[in-house]
């Protein structure tokens, strides 16, 4: 049974930082690219960041470039999202996801999803 479990969300003031974690089980972790998505109330789920199986390459949404960093630890089946200089517009539920594709950019290319963790940024 594949499980992705996010943690690290919470309430933070604008300008602050949070680090999200996602632990993955039930699959061969280094065979999967990983991504972080977010969904704000009334909006569609959008891609935030993606990282390749080896962790060598990553990609970011324009809205988070220079502020967010995705990383992974293949020895411990973990993926992280370091979020700095947070803005109220970053408020959303954040999801991690796993994909069999090499460098997936669309949510339809992801095979497994976590349940999400809430991030709220106050102004």
């Amino acid at each position: 049974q594949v499980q992705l479990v996010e943690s690290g969300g919470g309430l933070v003031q604008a300008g602050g930082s949070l680090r999200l974690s996602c632990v993955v089980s039930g699959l061969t972790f280094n065979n999967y690219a990983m991504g972080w998505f977010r969904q704000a109330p009334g909006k569609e789920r959008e891609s935030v960041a993606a990282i390749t199986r080896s962790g060598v390459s990553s990609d970011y949404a324009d809205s988070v470039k220079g502020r967010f960093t995705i990383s992974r630890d293949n020895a411990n089946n973990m993926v992280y999202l370091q979020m700095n200089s947070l803005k109220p517009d970053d408020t959303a539920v954040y999801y991690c996801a796993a994909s069999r594709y090499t460098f997936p950019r669309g949510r339809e290319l992801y095979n497994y999803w976590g349940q999400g963790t809430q991030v709220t940024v106050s102004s």
Side-chain angles (χ1 to χ4, degrees), residues 4 33-37 47 49-51 70 79 95-99 104 110 113:
L4 290 74
M34 298 298 298
W36 285 96
F37 289 75
S47 175
I51 190 166
I70 188 171
V79 61
Y95 300 87
C96 72
S99 172
Y110 285 80
W113 294 83

Side-chain angles (χ1 to χ4, degrees), residues 14-35:
S17 298
L18 283 174
R19 187 193 195 206
L20 305 184
S21 300
C22 175
V23 59
V24 180
S25 60
L27 53 75
T28 304
F29 185 67
N30 59 9
N31 284 351
Y32 287 78
M34 298 298 298

Side-chain angles (χ1 to χ4, degrees), residues 67-82:
R67 300 189 297 123
F68 290 11
T69 303
I70 188 171
S71 61
R72 64 189 294 162
D73 177 356
N74 283 354
N76 291 295
N77 289 13
M78 298 288 297
V79 61
Y80 305 98
L81 186 68
Q82 177 67 44

